[in-house]
mmCIF file of all heavy atoms in Angstrom:
data_model
loop_
_atom_site.group_PDB
_atom_site.id
_atom_site.type_symbol
_atom_site.label_atom_id
_atom_site.label_comp_id
_atom_site.label_asym_id
_atom_site.label_seq_id
_atom_site.Cartn_x
_atom_site.Cartn_y
_atom_site.Cartn_z
ATOM 1 N N THR F 941 -4.907 2.415 8.253
ATOM 2 C CA THR F 941 -5.379 1.086 7.885
ATOM 3 C C THR F 941 -6.001 0.330 9.049
ATOM 4 O O THR F 941 -6.784 -0.594 8.844
ATOM 5 C CB THR F 941 -4.215 0.245 7.317
ATOM 6 O OG1 THR F 941 -3.173 0.142 8.292
ATOM 7 C CG2 THR F 941 -3.661 0.906 6.053
ATOM 8 N N ARG F 942 -5.640 0.720 10.281
ATOM 9 C CA ARG F 942 -6.202 0.057 11.466
ATOM 10 C C ARG F 942 -5.899 0.898 12.696
ATOM 11 O O ARG F 942 -4.901 1.604 12.745
ATOM 12 C CB ARG F 942 -5.593 -1.344 11.627
ATOM 13 C CG ARG F 942 -6.145 -2.133 12.812
ATOM 14 C CD ARG F 942 -5.688 -3.568 12.804
ATOM 15 N NE ARG F 942 -4.248 -3.718 12.827
ATOM 16 C CZ ARG F 942 -3.612 -4.890 12.929
ATOM 17 N NH1 ARG F 942 -4.310 -6.009 12.977
ATOM 18 N NH2 ARG F 942 -2.292 -4.941 12.941
ATOM 19 N N CYS F 943 -6.777 0.807 13.689
ATOM 20 C CA CYS F 943 -6.542 1.471 14.968
ATOM 21 C C CYS F 943 -6.928 0.504 16.080
ATOM 22 O O CYS F 943 -8.023 -0.075 16.054
ATOM 23 C CB CYS F 943 -7.357 2.758 15.076
ATOM 24 S SG CYS F 943 -7.133 3.635 16.650
ATOM 25 N N ARG F 944 -6.020 0.340 17.051
ATOM 26 C CA ARG F 944 -6.276 -0.548 18.174
ATOM 27 C C ARG F 944 -5.978 0.168 19.482
ATOM 28 O O ARG F 944 -5.081 1.001 19.551
ATOM 29 C CB ARG F 944 -5.411 -1.808 18.061
ATOM 30 C CG ARG F 944 -5.840 -2.759 16.962
ATOM 31 C CD ARG F 944 -4.833 -3.860 16.766
ATOM 32 N NE ARG F 944 -3.583 -3.338 16.220
ATOM 33 C CZ ARG F 944 -2.485 -4.083 16.065
ATOM 34 N NH1 ARG F 944 -2.483 -5.345 16.457
ATOM 35 N NH2 ARG F 944 -1.394 -3.561 15.551
ATOM 36 N N LEU F 945 -6.728 -0.196 20.488
ATOM 37 C CA LEU F 945 -6.543 0.365 21.822
ATOM 38 C C LEU F 945 -6.225 -0.773 22.781
ATOM 39 O O LEU F 945 -6.974 -1.747 22.871
ATOM 40 C CB LEU F 945 -7.814 1.085 22.273
ATOM 41 C CG LEU F 945 -7.692 2.014 23.485
ATOM 42 C CD1 LEU F 945 -6.803 3.203 23.152
ATOM 43 C CD2 LEU F 945 -9.068 2.497 23.918
ATOM 44 N N THR F 946 -5.078 -0.668 23.472
ATOM 45 C CA THR F 946 -4.695 -1.664 24.469
ATOM 46 C C THR F 946 -4.916 -1.075 25.851
ATOM 47 O O THR F 946 -4.329 -0.044 26.202
ATOM 48 C CB THR F 946 -3.217 -2.067 24.307
ATOM 49 O OG1 THR F 946 -3.019 -2.621 23.005
ATOM 50 C CG2 THR F 946 -2.826 -3.101 25.348
ATOM 51 N N LEU F 947 -5.760 -1.728 26.624
ATOM 52 C CA LEU F 947 -6.099 -1.276 27.977
ATOM 53 C C LEU F 947 -5.487 -2.233 28.980
ATOM 54 O O LEU F 947 -5.696 -3.449 28.902
ATOM 55 C CB LEU F 947 -7.620 -1.236 28.162
ATOM 56 C CG LEU F 947 -8.430 -0.486 27.100
ATOM 57 C CD1 LEU F 947 -9.918 -0.612 27.398
ATOM 58 C CD2 LEU F 947 -8.016 0.976 27.043
ATOM 59 N N GLU F 948 -4.716 -1.699 29.909
ATOM 60 C CA GLU F 948 -4.113 -2.523 30.958
ATOM 61 C C GLU F 948 -4.628 -2.068 32.307
ATOM 62 O O GLU F 948 -4.463 -0.905 32.702
ATOM 63 C CB GLU F 948 -2.591 -2.416 30.917
ATOM 64 C CG GLU F 948 -1.904 -3.329 31.931
ATOM 65 C CD GLU F 948 -0.402 -3.350 31.779
ATOM 66 O OE1 GLU F 948 0.097 -2.956 30.692
ATOM 67 O OE2 GLU F 948 0.280 -3.762 32.742
ATOM 68 N N ARG F 949 -5.289 -2.986 33.016
ATOM 69 C CA ARG F 949 -5.842 -2.719 34.337
ATOM 70 C C ARG F 949 -5.320 -3.769 35.309
ATOM 71 O O ARG F 949 -5.653 -4.948 35.195
ATOM 72 C CB ARG F 949 -7.384 -2.771 34.302
ATOM 73 C CG ARG F 949 -8.037 -1.798 33.329
ATOM 74 C CD ARG F 949 -7.911 -0.355 33.805
ATOM 75 N NE ARG F 949 -8.633 0.578 32.960
ATOM 76 C CZ ARG F 949 -8.134 1.144 31.873
ATOM 77 N NH1 ARG F 949 -6.878 0.862 31.518
ATOM 78 N NH2 ARG F 949 -8.836 2.002 31.152
ATOM 79 N N ASP F 950 -4.457 -3.330 36.237
ATOM 80 C CA ASP F 950 -3.900 -4.259 37.229
ATOM 81 C C ASP F 950 -3.288 -5.481 36.548
ATOM 82 O O ASP F 950 -3.590 -6.636 36.885
ATOM 83 C CB ASP F 950 -4.982 -4.700 38.221
ATOM 84 C CG ASP F 950 -5.523 -3.521 39.014
ATOM 85 O OD1 ASP F 950 -4.717 -2.650 39.386
ATOM 86 O OD2 ASP F 950 -6.745 -3.478 39.251
ATOM 87 N N ASP F 951 -2.409 -5.226 35.551
ATOM 88 C CA ASP F 951 -1.658 -6.261 34.824
ATOM 89 C C ASP F 951 -2.528 -7.130 33.928
ATOM 90 O O ASP F 951 -2.037 -8.134 33.385
ATOM 91 C CB ASP F 951 -0.877 -7.160 35.797
ATOM 92 C CG ASP F 951 0.176 -6.381 36.572
ATOM 93 O OD1 ASP F 951 0.746 -5.434 35.993
ATOM 94 O OD2 ASP F 951 0.407 -6.706 37.755
ATOM 95 N N LEU F 952 -3.776 -6.781 33.732
ATOM 96 C CA LEU F 952 -4.650 -7.495 32.808
ATOM 97 C C LEU F 952 -4.812 -6.643 31.545
ATOM 98 O O LEU F 952 -5.325 -5.530 31.612
ATOM 99 C CB LEU F 952 -6.012 -7.775 33.443
ATOM 100 C CG LEU F 952 -7.037 -8.476 32.558
ATOM 101 C CD1 LEU F 952 -6.539 -9.865 32.153
ATOM 102 C CD2 LEU F 952 -8.392 -8.561 33.251
ATOM 103 N N LYS F 953 -4.348 -7.183 30.397
ATOM 104 C CA LYS F 953 -4.380 -6.427 29.144
ATOM 105 C C LYS F 953 -5.544 -6.860 28.270
ATOM 106 O O LYS F 953 -5.836 -8.054 28.149
ATOM 107 C CB LYS F 953 -3.075 -6.616 28.367
ATOM 108 C CG LYS F 953 -1.881 -5.917 28.980
ATOM 109 C CD LYS F 953 -0.667 -6.030 28.058
ATOM 110 C CE LYS F 953 0.534 -5.287 28.630
ATOM 111 N NZ LYS F 953 1.715 -5.372 27.730
ATOM 112 N N THR F 954 -6.179 -5.876 27.637
ATOM 113 C CA THR F 954 -7.263 -6.126 26.692
ATOM 114 C C THR F 954 -7.021 -5.261 25.463
ATOM 115 O O THR F 954 -6.765 -4.061 25.585
ATOM 116 C CB THR F 954 -8.626 -5.771 27.295
ATOM 117 O OG1 THR F 954 -8.824 -6.504 28.508
ATOM 118 C CG2 THR F 954 -9.749 -6.107 26.320
ATOM 119 N N THR F 955 -7.091 -5.855 24.279
ATOM 120 C CA THR F 955 -6.904 -5.118 23.034
ATOM 121 C C THR F 955 -8.229 -5.075 22.285
ATOM 122 O O THR F 955 -8.854 -6.113 22.044
ATOM 123 C CB THR F 955 -5.823 -5.769 22.154
ATOM 124 O OG1 THR F 955 -4.584 -5.785 22.869
ATOM 125 C CG2 THR F 955 -5.641 -4.985 20.861
ATOM 126 N N LEU F 956 -8.635 -3.856 21.921
ATOM 127 C CA LEU F 956 -9.922 -3.645 21.269
ATOM 128 C C LEU F 956 -9.746 -2.763 20.044
ATOM 129 O O LEU F 956 -8.766 -2.021 19.924
ATOM 130 C CB LEU F 956 -10.906 -2.978 22.232
ATOM 131 C CG LEU F 956 -11.228 -3.712 23.532
ATOM 132 C CD1 LEU F 956 -11.979 -2.776 24.481
ATOM 133 C CD2 LEU F 956 -12.054 -4.955 23.250
ATOM 134 N N ASP F 957 -10.714 -2.843 19.152
ATOM 135 C CA ASP F 957 -10.759 -1.919 18.025
ATOM 136 C C ASP F 957 -11.110 -0.525 18.539
ATOM 137 O O ASP F 957 -11.969 -0.371 19.410
ATOM 138 C CB ASP F 957 -11.809 -2.387 17.012
ATOM 139 C CG ASP F 957 -11.775 -1.585 15.733
ATOM 140 O OD1 ASP F 957 -12.285 -0.440 15.736
ATOM 141 O OD2 ASP F 957 -11.245 -2.085 14.735
ATOM 142 N N CYS F 958 -10.433 0.503 18.008
ATOM 143 C CA CYS F 958 -10.675 1.865 18.491
ATOM 144 C C CYS F 958 -12.111 2.323 18.276
ATOM 145 O O CYS F 958 -12.581 3.230 18.975
ATOM 146 C CB CYS F 958 -9.739 2.845 17.784
ATOM 147 S SG CYS F 958 -8.000 2.627 18.211
ATOM 148 N N ASP F 959 -12.791 1.741 17.299
ATOM 149 C CA ASP F 959 -14.149 2.166 16.990
ATOM 150 C C ASP F 959 -15.203 1.377 17.739
ATOM 151 O O ASP F 959 -16.397 1.493 17.458
ATOM 152 C CB ASP F 959 -14.388 2.065 15.476
ATOM 153 C CG ASP F 959 -13.462 2.986 14.694
ATOM 154 O OD1 ASP F 959 -13.242 4.117 15.161
ATOM 155 O OD2 ASP F 959 -12.964 2.576 13.637
#
Side-chain angles (χ1 to χ4, degrees):
T941 59
R942 182 171 58 175
C943 179
R944 288 171 292 174
L945 194 66
T946 300
L947 309 177
E948 184 173 341
R949 302 289 185 273
D950 297 321
D951 297 326
L952 178 62
K953 288 186 178 181
T954 303
T955 300
L956 301 168
D957 188 283
C958 293
D959 298 320

